Amino acid sequence: METTIDMGVRLTEHFTLKEMCQSGTAVRMSIDNVPDEKTVERLKALCVNVLEPTRRRFGVLRVTSGYRCPQLNKAVNGAQNSQHMRGEAADIHVSSMEVGRKMYDFIKKNTAFDQLIFEHSKSTGATWLHVSYSEARSRRHAIPYYGAA
């Protein structure tokens, strides 16, 4: 018997499942980006352990990429084993390098993240933090800003 996932469910005080799964690419390509129950639990753990503490410190966070089903991950050229596909990763938009550095330092010092990468696209000018959380491991590594992609 298949379980229906309620996309309106609140994962934490400030994050909903819908927010963690929304994708313009999925909408444009008619990709059904709905996680299974285990993935929802991992998304909740990411929110509880990393995103919610960061939200409390910095105010509203804009998640630009959370969960990605395999089809969506392929469409956005995501890594083959991306933690986004397991509900363990999110990309957070940062408004400036200064804000990005402060958020990076806060997450690094105050959360049990698995992976933390400060990224910047030279082609679009976008700056974001990729952060992941895994109950199987924590603080795998943090990579400071190097002027990525």
Side-chain angles (χ1 to χ4, degrees):
M1 184 172 171
E2 191 172 311
T3 305
T4 303
I5 300 294
D6 176 4
M7 295 300 284
V9 71
R10 189 161 290 285
L11 301 173
T12 63
E13 181 181 355
H14 295 103
F15 294 94
T16 64
L17 181 57
K18 180 179 179 181
E19 176 182 10
M20 296 301 295
C21 297
Q22 65 189 5
S23 164
T25 301
V27 170
R28 279 191 307 280
M29 297 180 74
S30 299
I31 297 171
D32 191 22
N33 193 43
V34 178
D36 61 24
E37 286 184 52
K38 182 65 178 163
T39 303
V40 172
E41 290 304 312
R42 288 189 292 260
L43 283 165
K44 183 174 183 173
L46 170 65
C47 291
V48 166
N49 291 286
V50 180
L51 298 181
E52 191 66 33
T54 307
R55 164 65 168 80
R56 286 193 195 109
R57 168 62 180 83
F58 291 94
V60 175
L61 299 181
R62 185 165 57 117
V63 174
T64 58
S65 184
Y67 170 70
R68 297 181 200 147
C69 67
Q71 184 181 3
L72 176 58
N73 192 62
K74 185 175 182 179
V76 299
N77 297 314
Q80 190 172 12
N81 294 319
S82 174
Q83 286 183 283
H84 287 277
M85 293 189 297
R86 293 190 302 274
E88 295 177 341
D91 295 338
I92 306 166
H93 169 78
V94 293
S95 58
S96 69
M97 293 299 288
E98 179 183 354
V99 170
R101 284 185 190 101
K102 288 178 181 178
M103 289 175 112
Y104 177 94
D105 288 341
F106 175 84
I107 292 168
K108 186 175 179 182
K109 293 174 186 171
N110 298 286
T111 73
F113 69 92
D114 173 40
Q115 185 178 58
L116 177 60
I117 307 171
F118 195 154
E119 300 185 270
H120 175 77
S121 170
K122 291 177 186 173
S123 62
T124 66
T127 304
W128 68 96
L129 292 176
H130 167 89
V131 63
S132 69
Y133 175 83
S134 173
E135 295 198 347
R137 59 187 183 265
S138 66
R139 293 191 184 253
R140 183 173 49 170
H141 63 277
I143 302 171
Y145 171 73
Y146 291 113

